[in-house]
Amino acid sequence: MHSKKKVWIDTDLSVGMIRHRRPGYCDVDDGYAVLQLMKSDQIEITGISAVFGNTTIDNAFMLCEQMNRDFAGGKYGVFKGAGEAIQLANVQTNDAVEALAAALKKEKMHIMAIGPATNVGLLLLRYPELAGQILEVVLVAGRRKETDYFSIGNQGRRAQDLNFDLDNDAFRIMFEAKVPITLCPFEISSKVWITEEDLKNLDQLDPATQWLALESRPWIGQWIEQGATGFNPFDVLASHYLIAPDDIICEPRLASLEIHLDDTLLDNPRRQFKSYLLCRDFGQYPVKYCYDVVPDYHQRLLHTFQ
């Protein structure tokens, strides 16, 4: 009998939330990733933890509880994690870190960390002996070079590499702990689109997909205003990789943490800089870098929600 892959979900769920830092609606793709794992018969979810990121920690935790209650019968443990980036001068634990530590002490597992990697970084600072229990951390972050822009639509808007940008130290901690890292960056998600027609199809399936379709409409509207024809479901590439890795095309790369001009600013006369997670054929830290999907991926993706 085929054994299920054990996966801990760490997420900044923000489906349907109003942005807390600027006008507009929050990302919905994390909801698709969580639901995809909930529906998969290839995956055993070992726990769900919330982290700050696209929304506040309180919103993310509320949505984790809501999805667990409404779409999984409340069968998973849900834990509240970090509300801000790691403060190296005053490292604090939280319920999510302690629950993840307890789970790892019992068995090895994969971690899908689709928000800032803060909870994983805190775990490794507090319990470095558990690094060997982590089979792999799958994250949505990184790029090949600093000029690989995260362009949204055709109106000139560039997005942040948000999960990395919100907590650089968490990534450094994971690299230095030598845990296996798989990156599903903008490069791969930019090749996948969810359209209005897809939302109509999701609206015909079940209450969970109907909820996602409903909450996705303000989000897709924002993308269409930027000149796009749909939206890229960033976090879904991480969940899909865990379910069906053969659908995702990856290669070994070497990652480096470097400082360059802030690429999100179109007018930046060499005054504002930021950290980058760059993945090339030279660097410090080995990673698996996912960069493309199989030709019939869109069909396979939608099938996982049926």
Side-chain angles (χ1 to χ4, degrees):
M1 181 178 175
H2 177 71
S3 60
K4 293 185 177 184
K5 185 178 292 183
K6 298 179 187 298
V7 178
W8 182 282
I9 299 172
D10 188 69
T11 176
D12 59 340
L13 272 175
S14 59
V15 180
M17 294 291 106
I18 300 293
R19 289 173 175 152
H20 61 291
R21 287 189 294 263
R22 57 191 175 92
Y25 289 87
C26 293
D27 299 49
V28 298
D29 50 288
D30 41 20
Y32 286 77
V34 173
L35 183 61
Q36 193 183 39
L37 292 190
M38 286 180 170
K39 284 177 168 286
S40 176
D41 59 6
Q42 307 296 314
I43 301 296
E44 178 185 334
I45 297 173
T46 54
I48 302 173
S49 54
V51 69
F52 81 105
N54 285 319
T55 189
T56 65
I57 183 59
D58 289 335
N59 287 341
F61 181 55
M62 177 270 292
L63 285 166
C64 287
E65 291 189 306
Q66 177 183 331
M67 289 194 72
N68 182 45
R69 179 186 67 243
D70 294 350
F71 309 134
K75 66 181 178 181
Y76 305 120
V78 177
F79 307 94
K80 189 174 184 179
E84 62 179 0
I86 293 172
Q87 306 299 311
L88 294 176
N90 184 22
V91 173
Q92 299 288 330
T93 189
N94 57 56
D95 290 346
V97 169
E98 296 305 318
L100 178 54
L104 287 168
K105 288 174 182 176
K106 294 178 183 177
E107 58 188 350
K108 295 185 177 183
M109 64 187 67
H110 301 256
I111 300 173
M112 183 180 76
I114 53 176
T118 308
N119 288 333
V120 181
L122 289 171
L123 170 92
L124 291 168
L125 290 177
R126 300 270 303 181
Y127 302 100
E129 70 277 9
L130 293 178
Q133 292 292 94
I134 299 174
L135 296 172
E136 175 185 37
V137 184
V138 184
L139 306 119
V140 178
R143 66 186 89 185
R144 294 180 188 267
K145 56 186 184 296
E146 70 274 14
T147 52
D148 289 342
Y149 305 126
F150 295 9
S151 298
I152 305 298
N154 58 15
Q155 304 300 304
R157 180 169 174 256
R158 294 176 185 169
Q160 291 179 271
D161 190 1
L162 190 69
N163 296 338
F164 173 73
D165 289 349
L166 288 179
D167 198 343
N168 304 165
D169 286 331
F171 281 79
R172 183 180 297 278
I173 292 162
M174 289 187 296
F175 286 136
E176 292 182 354
K178 295 182 171 56
V179 298
I181 297 291
T182 295
L183 299 175
C184 297
F186 183 80
E187 179 175 348
I188 186 172
S189 59
S190 66
K191 300 174 181 178
V192 181
W193 293 90
I194 298 293
T195 66
E196 286 274 13
E197 187 64 27
D198 295 327
L199 297 186
K200 291 177 184 177
N201 292 332
L202 291 171
D203 211 18
Q204 305 302 312
L205 297 179
D206 60 34
T209 57
Q210 288 165 9
W211 173 73
L212 275 182
L214 175 65
E215 299 295 356
S216 295
R217 289 196 163 90
W219 178 245
I220 200 172
Q222 291 179 163
W223 281 68
I224 291 171
E225 287 174 0
Q226 293 294 320
T229 57
F231 67 88
N232 302 131
F234 310 115
D235 295 343
V236 164
L237 280 303
S239 53
H240 199 117
Y241 163 81
L242 284 161
I243 294 168
D246 290 344
D247 291 351
I248 306 297
I249 300 171
C250 308
E251 64 183 358
R253 305 294 286 177
L254 291 170
S256 298
L257 304 178
E258 299 182 10
I259 295 175
H260 297 278
L261 284 167
D262 188 338
D263 68 306
T264 65
L265 303 175
L266 299 182
D267 182 20
N268 186 8
R270 306 196 70 82
R271 284 195 296 269
Q272 296 188 46
F273 293 75
K274 57 174 277 190
S275 293
Y276 286 77
L277 172 56
L278 303 181
C279 304
R280 297 173 291 208
D281 57 2
F282 60 92
Q284 297 172 275
Y285 309 109
V287 298
K288 182 184 288 187
Y289 185 89
C290 304
Y291 65 94
D292 207 349
V293 293
V294 292
D296 60 343
Y297 179 77
H298 187 263
Q299 179 182 349
R300 296 188 187 202
L301 171 62
L302 293 182
H303 182 73
T304 63
F305 291 99
Q306 295 177 1

